[in-house]
């Protein structure tokens, strides 16, 4: 499994609008993507600092999304976000929710 962690700062008092738009417009798009597994979004206490983690079956699926659909997502979300989002990717090494465990070899 592979993860994309996107962090960004919302404009003031935009969390509710962001969440509503994400659920209405972005989640349906994500669910249509080959290899998409899950999305978890976190908000800091102020409601301005947001981190969204999407889980993918493999790196290739995440990269295809990044190239083909993520630009559309950025366009949709631009009115809520200050600056450019930061994207970090990584392999998922453990998830109790998804029952994943990658055993390291000694």
């Amino acid at each position: 499994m592979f993860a994309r962690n996107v962090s960004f700062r919302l404009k003031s008092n935009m969390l509710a609008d962001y969440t509503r738009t994400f659920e209405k417009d972005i989640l349906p798009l994500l669910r249509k993507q080959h290899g998409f597994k899950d999305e978890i979004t976190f908000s800091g206490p102020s409601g301005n600092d947001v981190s969204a983690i999407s889980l993918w079956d493999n790196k290739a699926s995440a990269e295809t999304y990044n190239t083909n659909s993520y630009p559309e997502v950025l366009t949709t979300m631009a009115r809520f976000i200050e600056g450019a989002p930061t994207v970090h990717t990584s392999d998922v090494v453990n998830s109790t929710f998804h029952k994943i465990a990658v055993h390291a070899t000694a």
Side-chain angles (χ1 to χ4, degrees):
M1 190 167 283
F2 194 76
R4 293 180 79 249
N5 185 339
V6 181
S7 300
F8 51 91
R9 184 159 183 83
L10 290 175
K11 294 175 183 174
S12 187
N13 298 316
M14 294 300 279
L15 183 60
D17 293 332
Y18 162 80
T19 301
R20 190 171 26 262
T21 300
F22 188 86
E23 289 176 2
K24 180 180 162 255
D25 298 330
I26 306 305
L27 271 179
L29 175 73
L30 281 168
R31 288 183 174 127
K32 292 177 186 175
Q33 303 303 303
H34 175 74
F36 174 74
K37 297 295 182 186
D38 196 13
E39 175 80 18
I40 305 167
T41 304
F42 304 92
S43 170
S46 69
N48 292 26
D49 296 312
V50 176
S51 183
I53 300 172
S54 58
L55 300 175
W56 300 84
D57 62 351
N58 59 51
K59 184 177 181 177
S61 294
E63 288 177 349
T64 298
Y65 163 75
N66 189 64
T67 301
N68 297 333
S69 299
Y70 184 59
E72 178 183 344
V73 170
L74 285 177
T75 299
T76 301
M77 303 314 274
R79 66 182 181 264
F80 305 114
I81 297 173
E82 289 183 358
T86 303
V87 180
H88 296 282
T89 59
S90 57
D91 290 312
V92 176
V93 295
N94 193 320
S95 170
T96 58
F97 187 74
H98 290 277
K99 296 181 173 72
I100 297 169
V102 176
H103 300 284
T105 56

